[in-house]
Amino acid sequence: MPPKFGTSGLRGLVTELTDELVHAHIRAFLAACPHGGTVHVGRDLRDSSPRIAATVIEAIRGAGLGAVDCGAVPTPALAMAAMARGHAAVMVTGSHIPADRNGLKFYIPSGEIAKPDETAILEALKTGGAPDAPEGPLEQDPDCAARYVARYVDGFGAQALSGLRIGVYEHSSVARDSLGDVIAGLGGSVVRIARSETFIPVDTEAVDPDTRAALAGWAAEHELDAIVSTDGDADRPMVTDAKGAMIPGDVLGPITARLLGARIVVTPVSSNTLVDAMEGFEVRRTKIGSPFVIAGMEAALAENASAAVVGYEANGGFLLGFAANGPEGAIAPLITRDAVLPIVAPLAAARADGRGLAEMAASLPPRFTAADRLQEVPSERSMALIERLRAEPAARAEFFDTGSAEEAIDETDGLRVTFVNGDIVHLRPSGNAPECRLYAEADSPERAQALLSGHLDRLGARLRDAA
């Protein structure tokens, strides 16, 4: 599919992300959005990212604005650096998608772009965007990642992970060095695992069976208390327990929210419903995607500027909307998807309670999720099937196989069906890749996985038949 621009940014095949296309989108962004006179630029570790980042910097400077080259840094580190100085930012990354693809993420001085910004950028593309001007200055920021590491060390303290042996699955995450630095700074013992010089597309929300088996093997081999990692640009966490079993992102989110003293939790409709059964939270549900979570958080802050509000997604990305108190120091708000906070907070909470992550997760309300995706499926084909299921009760009864009657339908984002026995199955076309996402929830992990596997097979058969 050709490069696609939306609120999550621009994404497409590397071969189609030409210098001309990248230049046009940067100039449109500069014409349509506030930027504070300077734009910070970061990139992930894909082979194509240095070339694209150089084009981004050239387009910024060619419009007469200053550019700050932050190099290869985590997306939240870039956002934190730019927002602290009242500047815009552009991250060159394809996140978790394959290496033959890449993209751009856009930030204005207040944070991620929103839907109105997307509309304005698309309009500016039609008119050529910001004009040429005398070349703007270029600045380097070699300490961007170090300040990001200090955020967590200062907030949690030098003993927060003392005595824990933590594996860092490095692969090709742009945070692989920073994450180890954070753990070491918090007193943990770091075991670095499987560093890769080629890009590996790790989707923390849909980890493949081979990777899951490898995680279990590493946990046993190195006698680890946990394994941690992120996706390619480090805005989604991956965390396992001592046996290498995954702790889902929408379990890490509530644990992190509880440790930080949050009172309002904003999360997409796809997130585990266990948070609704936890005491002390007002839960607000949104469509899937960080722009919708941010909009929900901003609405809460508009109602009460001092609201203790956080957001998280099923993929684990965590957004902090208030000045929180960590165990040892203040943690400033960062309303963009972050991977490190939902890694550090659960580990620190479990250690402080004298138990492992598995025990902590087991103490939460017993609801379990599983998620995967059917790849290389045109979005229009997925949407046509979902529309039919939405409109026709008989088609839903034929497609969904839970052994229980339908209780409720949620059309907030895609089609989410709840059944009388408590099972939930949710279908949704991806907004930024030719994929159809499938989510399942049940009262046991085995049941959730069975729902996922069975419906994924059924989904594949239906979409292949539609080809």
Side-chain angles (χ1 to χ4, degrees):
M1 60 188 297
K4 181 178 180 181
F5 176 78
T7 316
S8 296
L10 176 70
R11 284 190 183 176
L13 290 168
V14 170
T15 54
E16 296 179 339
L17 292 174
T18 63
D19 291 349
E20 293 76 16
L21 185 73
V22 170
H23 188 280
H25 279 80
I26 294 300
R27 289 298 184 91
F29 168 61
L30 298 178
C33 298
H35 46 65
T38 300
V39 183
H40 296 235
V41 180
R43 56 180 169 84
D44 67 14
L45 298 180
R46 295 164 191 266
D47 288 344
S48 60
S49 291
R51 185 266 299 175
I52 297 174
T55 301
V56 170
I57 290 172
E58 180 183 11
I60 293 165
R61 298 182 69 197
L65 301 180
V68 179
D69 185 358
C70 296
V73 294
T75 294
L78 176 72
M80 187 180 84
M83 293 164 69
R85 293 178 59 182
H87 295 160
V90 176
M91 180 70 181
V92 179
T93 180
S95 187
H96 62 280
I97 60 178
D100 64 344
R101 295 171 169 83
N102 211 328
L104 306 174
K105 289 184 178 179
F106 296 94
Y107 288 80
I108 57 178
S110 58
E112 296 182 31
I113 62 169
K115 285 294 181 183
D117 301 309
E118 174 189 342
T119 301
I121 293 169
L122 288 170
E123 285 300 313
L125 272 172
K126 300 174 183 177
T127 60
D132 289 341
E135 186 174 67
L138 175 63
E139 176 185 345
Q140 307 292 328
D141 184 3
D143 299 322
C144 180
R147 293 194 300 274
Y148 181 62
V149 169
R151 167 185 174 82
Y152 304 101
V153 176
D154 293 346
F156 284 85
Q159 298 301 310
L161 302 183
S162 177
L164 297 184
R165 186 171 169 83
I166 309 297
V168 177
Y169 172 33
E170 295 189 324
H171 63 90
S172 51
S173 166
V174 75
R176 58 192 183 184
D177 294 327
S178 298
L179 190 51
D181 291 345
V182 169
I183 293 167
L186 298 176
S189 177
V190 179
V191 178
R192 297 185 179 273
I193 299 168
R195 191 180 187 96
S196 174
E197 297 309 315
T198 58
F199 187 81
I200 299 174
V202 173
D203 185 343
T204 62
E205 196 176 3
V207 179
D208 64 88
D210 288 345
T211 301
R212 289 176 182 268
L215 291 166
W218 293 328
E221 176 187 355
H222 299 289
E223 299 181 336
L224 302 174
D225 294 293
I227 298 174
V228 302
S229 188
T230 75
D231 65 337
D233 70 319
D235 64 355
R236 304 180 182 194
M238 176 191 287
V239 179
T240 82
D241 64 18
K243 292 185 177 181
M246 294 287 300
I247 307 292
D250 46 8
V251 173
L252 300 173
I255 293 172
T256 303
R258 184 170 61 186
L259 180 142
L260 296 174
R263 291 293 174 262
I264 299 175
V265 171
V266 182
T267 194
V269 65
S270 59
S271 294
N272 194 316
T273 61
L274 69 84
V275 68
D276 300 273
M278 294 175 66
E279 294 184 1
F281 293 147
E282 175 191 338
V283 181
R284 302 187 184 187
R285 297 281 178 169
T286 72
K287 294 181 70 174
I288 297 170
S290 56
F292 301 107
V293 175
I294 290 170
M297 294 174 68
E298 290 175 341
L301 291 169
E303 297 165 10
N304 177 5
S306 61
V309 59
V310 300
Y312 66 85
E313 297 184 89
N315 58 42
F318 195 89
L319 304 94
L320 181 60
F322 70 105
N325 291 317
E328 293 294 329
I331 305 174
L334 184 60
I335 306 183
T336 191
R337 194 163 55 194
D338 179 29
V340 174
L341 189 54
I343 289 174
V344 169
L347 286 170
R351 178 189 175 277
D353 287 350
R355 53 182 172 173
L357 283 175
E359 293 176 272
M360 175 167 284
S363 71
L364 299 175
R367 294 293 291 172
F368 302 89
T369 59
D372 206 339
R373 66 206 190 280
L374 194 67
Q375 295 177 287
E376 302 304 328
V377 176
S379 296
E380 58 270 17
R381 194 181 303 163
S382 300
M383 289 188 286
L385 174 62
I386 291 171
E387 182 55 39
R388 179 169 177 247
L389 295 175
R390 178 186 289 121
E392 301 177 19
R396 290 199 302 275
E398 180 185 359
F399 180 84
F400 292 105
D401 181 17
T402 67
S404 180
E406 180 183 293
E407 181 177 71
I409 294 175
D410 190 322
E411 299 180 32
T412 302
D413 199 341
L415 179 64
R416 184 175 176 87
V417 184
T418 300
F419 299 88
V420 172
N421 65 356
D423 291 345
I424 299 174
V425 181
H426 183 178
L427 303 177
R428 172 184 175 267
S430 173
N432 51 38
E435 302 172 348
C436 187
R437 294 270 177 174
L438 196 152
Y439 311 84
E441 182 176 327
D443 289 334
S444 75
E446 295 79 14
R447 177 61 178 168
Q449 188 59 50
L451 286 170
L452 177 70
S453 298
H455 285 90
L456 194 63
D457 289 343
R458 185 168 298 195
L459 182 66
R462 293 295 180 90
L463 292 178
R464 282 194 297 271
D465 288 346

